[in-house]
Amino acid sequence: MGFKLERLIRENIRGLKPYSSARDEFVALGADMIFLDANENPNANGVNRYPDPHQRSLKAVLANQKGIKESQIVLGNGSDEILDLLFRAFCEPSKDNIITLPPTYGMYKVLSDINVIENCEVLLNEDFQPDVKAILSKVDAHTKLLFLCSPNNPTGNLIQSEKIETILNEFQGLVVIDEAYIDFANTESWICRLNEFPNLVVTQTLSKAYGMAGIRLGMCFASEEIITILKKIKPPYNVNELTQERALIGIINEKKVSNQISAILNERNKFKETLKEFNLVQKVFKSDANFVLVRVDDAKMRYGQLLDKGIVVRNRSSQPMCENTLRFTIGTREENKKLLAALKELDL
Ligand SMILES: *Cc1c(COP(=O)(O)O)cnc(C)c1O
């Protein structure tokens, strides 16, 4: 059975006529037109007009950088909005299901709960890699989406590409690869394989490596057919004017981003080495991201002790296979030093 996108789309979305603003059709004609169509305040202040619903300037740069067409991009208010669009476009409440691979990013499950979609969990193996056979055995006619996070949060590792490839070939629903941390990993994005796999969806964000969590910009890359459906259901002005402007400045400055990434990775590697010297540290997991998962003697106690010293980290112990683990984000050199000093004081 070949891949058929039509089969995956929710019935109500298939026939949906999207909201269209009058501006949609005319904004491309030129800046010297008079716009009396949207009930805006006419006095210019930089933000008195509605933003471009198609984010043309931003997509032009992104398409060029990623080597794809603008029609293969949809942008959102953080990747969390992109993930929600995927649920609303493809998953019929109380009927369809998704597959997630814990321990992983918590948002997939929250979104499945919000949208009343069954979440079939297939645990990663001991090496935090997918059990492909077990995953494929869970698939049924209602399995619409499969979420792979690579590098994975909270474990920090990349998912092996052979495993992803098998899943892409064998699963006839959409495979969503969440690449929030891809810029920290020494590997290529799955974006370059989009033309090979009609069921591949890649999400990225400006929240991590690009240092712009505050503006909320999520990116989704897929076939034109998939993107057309997502664009149909996205709120027209979901990416605001200030975000579009700030994002453009941020992504054009590639050198600055790559320098920051190198500095963070340097800090991470030094941090990991020092951690290994502590008695309270039992295991430092391999990381391809800007955080490190660490198994300690007593995560709840150590979390509380660090909090008392004014340092907030993340206790991931409630996740399967993550008993007694803390997740440390790599901060500035000063912040990392303070964290290490605090751990040293606790390390009797
Ligand atoms: C941080 C993170 C995101 C980012 O979401 P935004 O809404 O774009 O900030 C997405 N996926 C994973 C796995 C993350 O850790």
Side-chain angles (χ1 to χ4, degrees):
M1 187 180 71
F3 174 74
K4 285 205 186 63
L5 183 63
E6 197 63 18
R7 185 187 68 83
L8 300 178
I9 308 168
R10 282 173 66 190
E11 189 104 12
N12 64 317
I13 302 298
R14 240 177 259 168
L16 182 82
K17 205 171 168 312
Y19 175 82
S20 128
S21 69
R23 196 70 52 84
D24 264 20
E25 295 130 61
F26 302 115
V27 76
L29 294 180
D32 52 352
M33 298 189 73
I34 297 174
F35 289 117
L36 302 176
D37 58 318
N39 303 343
E40 299 147 328
N41 181 326
N43 300 291
N45 61 10
V47 289
N48 63 309
R49 296 295 179 186
Y50 279 102
D52 176 6
H54 306 296
Q55 308 100 20
R56 292 175 180 85
S57 319
L58 201 46
K59 279 188 194 163
V61 176
L62 283 172
N64 185 33
Q65 288 182 349
K66 310 280 180 190
I68 51 170
K69 293 188 269 187
E70 287 166 45
S71 52
Q72 291 182 283
I73 308 174
V74 68
L75 302 177
N77 182 16
S79 30
D80 287 346
E81 182 181 37
I82 301 288
L83 298 174
D84 189 50
L85 290 178
L86 286 164
F87 274 93
R88 289 192 288 127
F90 298 106
C91 299
E92 196 67 47
S94 307
K95 189 172 142 201
D96 288 334
N97 64 70
I98 61 158
I99 294 178
T100 60
L101 316 177
T104 194
Y105 187 44
M107 204 59 197
Y108 317 135
K109 179 178 162 39
V110 172
L111 285 168
S112 71
D113 287 342
I114 290 171
N115 290 286
V116 205
I117 303 301
E118 186 195 345
N119 174 28
C120 308
E121 300 189 326
V122 184
L123 296 192
L124 294 174
N125 69 21
E126 309 274 86
D127 299 322
F128 297 136
Q129 293 296 331
D131 179 344
V132 176
K133 228 171 121 189
I135 291 168
L136 294 175
S137 77
K138 287 278 183 186
V139 173
D140 66 27
H142 293 292
T143 311
K144 298 295 189 72
L145 308 173
L146 190 156
F147 289 92
L148 280 164
C149 187
S150 182
N152 188 36
N153 179 6
T155 58
N157 62 293
L158 279 164
I159 303 297
Q160 287 162 1
S161 48
E162 312 83 69
K163 300 215 181 219
I164 297 184
E165 195 158 334
T166 309
I167 293 170
L168 279 163
N169 281 321
E170 302 291 324
F171 175 54
Q172 301 299 322
L174 298 183
V175 178
V176 183
I177 307 185
D178 184 338
E179 293 189 335
Y181 300 96
I182 191 69
D183 301 291
F184 295 107
N186 186 19
T187 186
E188 254 194 309
S189 162
W190 279 85
I191 290 175
C192 64
R193 311 284 303 270
L194 280 177
N195 293 339
E196 270 173 78
F197 302 107
N199 56 339
L200 172 59
V201 176
V202 178
T203 65
Q204 295 183 359
T205 176
L206 296 190
S207 298
K208 308 286 159 62
Y210 281 82
M212 291 186 276
I215 69 172
R216 313 300 302 126
L217 190 92
M219 305 173 275
C220 176
F221 310 99
S223 71
E224 269 182 44
E225 292 71 27
I226 294 172
I227 295 299
T228 301
I229 295 157
L230 297 177
K231 285 206 298 212
K232 210 157 98 161
I233 67 166
K234 87 171 183 64
Y237 304 115
N238 64 329
V239 180
N240 73 69
E241 180 64 29
L242 299 176
T243 294
Q244 292 189 39
E245 289 173 15
R246 193 66 174 70
L248 195 55
I249 297 169
I251 61 172
I252 285 173
N253 209 337
E254 288 176 283
K255 191 78 202 148
K256 184 172 168 189
V257 177
S258 66
N259 285 341
Q260 288 189 355
I261 291 171
S262 306
I264 290 170
L265 293 182
N266 252 328
E267 275 297 307
R268 181 196 68 195
N269 296 341
K270 279 196 314 192
F271 179 74
K272 281 181 67 176
E273 284 315 303
T274 316
L275 273 183
K276 288 177 186 162
E277 296 163 11
F278 295 121
N279 294 315
L280 64 83
V281 170
Q282 293 178 351
K283 178 163 184 173
V284 181
F285 290 89
K286 183 177 178 342
S287 172
D288 291 295
N290 66 331
F291 57 85
V292 189
L293 188 72
V294 180
R295 174 157 288 130
V296 296
D297 52 355
D298 184 338
K300 189 159 181 272
M301 178 177 80
R302 300 307 182 187
Y303 174 84
Q305 289 171 328
L306 288 172
L307 204 55
D308 289 339
K309 293 176 181 291
I311 301 175
V312 186
V313 300
R314 196 94 157 105
N315 183 356
R316 294 284 71 190
S317 302
S318 62
Q319 290 252 348
M321 297 181 290
C322 295
E323 305 78 33
N324 278 320
T325 57
L326 298 176
R327 192 191 67 198
F328 299 119
T329 305
I330 304 303
T332 62
R333 176 164 299 175
E334 275 312 300
E335 290 170 335
N336 304 333
K337 266 192 192 158
K338 283 184 182 157
L339 172 57
L340 288 169
L343 287 170
K344 192 166 177 126
E345 274 180 35
L346 300 173
D347 198 45
L348 298 173

